[in-house]
Amino acid sequence: MTKQPTSRPNHNQRWIQRWFERTLFGLIGTIFTTQIGLAMYLWLKQPAEPFLIGEWLINYQGGFVRRGLLGEIIIQLSRRIMIDPVKTVIVVQIGIGALFLLLTYILLRQTNVSIITATLFFSPAFLRFLLVAWLIVGVRKEMLFSIIFLIHLLSLRTNYSFSPILPLFIGTSTIVVILSHEMLVILLPYLLIASLCYERQWGRISYATAIAIIPASIVASIIIQAPHTTITTIDHLCAALESNPPRDCIDRGHLGAITFLTKTVLQSIQFTQSLITSEAVQVYLITGLLSIVPLIITIVSYRLWQFLPKQTLMWVGGLWGLSLATTIPLFFVAVDYGRFIHIHITCSTFLLAWFLQLTSAPLSAKIQHSMHGWRASVLLVFFIGFIGSWRLPVWLGDATYTNAFRWIWQ
């Protein structure tokens, strides 16, 4: 007589899924709490923090400058409601951070959890990067793109039938994002990758997405080639912030997001080179490779390539590679290497989580077999060791073995 299956595995799976959702909620809640704490600190700090606040206050009061759109909107809003622009920035940051975390939870919570997806979601290069580096990272403008990307993914997940509303939203919002920070042009291919994965080919949605991101790409190319900002422009820009100007507006010798606008590409390269050490390069090579390990393990364990035609797979790989390749120049002109790595890991993790849900992809039989007995214990040890033994440094000055591998090096 055949032995009847018991409900124990299903019960265990439901328990693990609830554990995952609660742990994820706890992580996101903790990140939001730290953001509130940082907001309270920034609210009381004078002069205003030159990067966490100053980057959001770049405006058009002295003429057009790169990254100035959002700051100009904040300046005009602050004048109408008669509130210090710094306070307006903090409120806007809290709203953006809360929306990002909410959409993140909505997307991730429906993923079937396994030791593989848990390693992906709790990687030090994903959400935990925001928690560990909260005092340095805070709410940055890349969250604006992440929100657009999450809305795109969630819209496609609802069995999206073509409508001009989504491409119009993508086209308009990406221009706003690029005018707020031109660096984010490197992330535009992720929007097209999602559309291709959804349709499995070049279909109506994919073509519409490709057309929608063209204007933002053109705007970015114009901004990147535009002359650097003059000191006179900075004077007018800072004059609009006289109630509580960032420190670099008061002391022009102090480097901040606003005064950095006056730096030429050559000066930026020289500044970055002055902070590069052999140890920093080694640390970022190691932590960068560790950051992509969960992505590779997930793709291989679920055999995700089998859900896409070969031609589409080539397009997806090419666009993914294009996004990574266009990031390389940033490593020569800016010092926050960890931030660049984190941005790509975040978008890639969102994409993989969404695609797993879209395809209902099961783990390969070999991996499923290893989830039992002593092998499961080995995987659990790997999971704990992986997420607990390292962190992704934010910038070159922080990239030491002691900081990146604190529990091992000390």
Side-chain angles (χ1 to χ4, degrees):
M1 185 174 65
T2 304
K3 184 177 179 180
Q4 295 296 321
T6 66
S7 60
R8 185 177 180 82
N10 291 334
H11 173 75
N12 287 341
Q13 184 62 36
R14 286 195 298 270
W15 181 87
I16 292 172
Q17 194 69 32
R18 285 196 298 269
W19 170 86
F20 164 69
E21 291 180 10
R22 290 170 183 172
T23 304
L24 179 64
F25 182 82
L27 175 59
I28 288 176
T30 303
I31 294 171
F32 183 66
T33 301
T34 61
Q35 289 180 353
I36 295 295
L38 180 59
M40 294 174 62
Y41 166 74
L42 295 174
W43 189 279
L44 300 173
K45 181 178 173 60
Q46 287 193 352
E49 209 282 337
F51 281 103
L52 295 179
I53 296 294
E55 184 175 299
W56 294 73
L57 288 174
I58 300 170
N59 57 71
Y60 296 152
Q61 294 299 296
F64 179 83
V65 293
R66 58 192 175 96
R67 310 181 186 183
L69 178 61
L70 195 59
E72 182 64 22
I73 293 173
I74 288 172
I75 288 289
Q76 297 300 332
L77 177 63
S78 299
R79 287 176 176 175
R80 281 163 175 73
I81 61 179
M82 293 182 292
I83 293 180
D84 180 359
V86 171
K87 304 297 192 293
T88 305
V89 167
I90 293 170
V91 173
V92 169
Q93 287 181 341
I94 292 174
I96 290 173
L99 181 58
F100 165 76
L101 293 172
L102 175 63
L103 293 175
T104 297
Y105 181 70
I106 291 173
L107 177 72
L108 298 185
R109 68 184 295 268
Q110 292 192 19
T111 307
N112 288 329
V113 67
S114 68
I115 198 69
I116 306 300
T117 52
T119 305
L120 180 70
F121 295 154
F122 297 110
S123 164
F126 184 39
L127 293 177
R128 286 179 54 229
F129 178 80
L130 299 175
L131 183 60
V132 173
W134 65 277
L135 192 57
I136 303 174
V137 175
V139 177
R140 291 298 182 96
K141 290 180 178 178
E142 53 265 25
M143 279 191 183
L144 293 170
F145 178 84
S146 294
I147 289 171
I148 296 170
F149 190 44
L150 284 164
I151 291 174
H152 184 48
L153 293 175
L154 290 171
S155 298
L156 294 176
R157 196 177 72 176
T158 58
N159 294 321
Y160 172 76
S161 57
F162 181 79
S163 165
I165 295 176
L166 185 58
L168 182 61
F169 165 75
I170 291 173
T172 304
S173 59
T174 50
I175 290 175
V176 172
V177 166
I178 296 304
L179 287 172
S180 298
H181 204 307
E182 75 286 350
M183 175 194 77
L184 299 178
V185 68
I186 64 176
L187 302 178
L188 295 181
Y190 283 100
L191 294 165
L192 183 52
I193 291 173
S195 296
L196 284 169
C197 289
Y198 178 75
E199 293 186 301
R200 309 293 202 276
Q201 60 182 345
W202 276 96
R204 197 174 181 184
I205 298 173
S206 299
Y207 282 117
T209 304
I211 293 171
I213 63 178
I214 289 176
S217 302
I218 294 174
V219 169
S221 65
I222 294 172
I223 294 175
I224 291 170
Q225 298 178 50
H228 72 279
T229 307
T230 64
I231 297 295
T232 302
T233 303
I234 294 296
D235 290 338
H236 290 290
L237 190 159
C238 287
L241 309 172
E242 58 183 356
S243 59
N244 183 14
R247 184 178 173 186
D248 51 330
C249 278
I250 301 172
D251 176 10
R252 296 302 170 81
H254 184 84
L255 188 62
I258 292 176
T259 53
F260 205 87
L261 293 175
T262 63
K263 303 295 182 183
T264 64
V265 173
L266 180 59
Q267 288 174 321
S268 298
I269 292 174
Q270 291 173 341
F271 175 73
T272 303
Q273 287 179 337
S274 69
L275 294 175
I276 291 179
T277 64
S278 59
E279 183 179 12
V281 172
Q282 293 169 25
V283 167
Y284 273 117
L285 283 174
I286 296 171
T287 55
L289 290 172
L290 287 172
S291 297
I292 65 173
V293 164
L295 303 179
I296 296 173
I297 291 177
T298 301
I299 293 171
V300 172
S301 298
Y302 288 89
R303 300 179 180 272
L304 294 181
W305 60 83
Q306 66 184 345
F307 295 95
L308 294 174
K310 185 176 180 180
Q311 188 174 11
T312 304
L313 197 61
M314 291 177 64
W315 273 105
V316 168
L319 289 167
W320 212 333
L322 174 64
S323 182
L324 295 175
T326 52
T327 308
I328 294 175
L330 297 178
F331 289 96
F332 294 95
V333 298
V335 299
D336 36 359
Y337 285 21
R339 184 181 173 194
F340 304 147
I341 295 171
H342 162 72
I343 290 172
H344 279 292
I345 296 300
T346 296
C347 290
S348 300
T349 301
F350 286 150
L351 186 66
L352 287 180
W354 167 81
F355 195 60
L356 286 172
Q357 297 168 20
L358 188 70
T359 58
S360 299
L363 280 165
S364 67
K366 186 176 181 180
I367 299 296
Q368 288 187 47
H369 178 70
S370 67
M371 294 293 182
H372 302 283
W374 64 269
R375 296 182 183 88
S377 300
V378 172
L379 287 174
L380 183 60
V381 170
F382 165 78
F383 167 72
I384 295 173
F386 181 83
I387 68 172
S389 61
W390 66 281
R391 61 185 287 265
L392 179 64
V394 180
W395 66 297
L396 285 171
D398 192 37
T400 63
Y401 284 111
T402 302
N403 288 330
F405 307 100
R406 190 166 299 170
W407 300 110
I408 298 175
W409 211 254
Q410 293 181 346

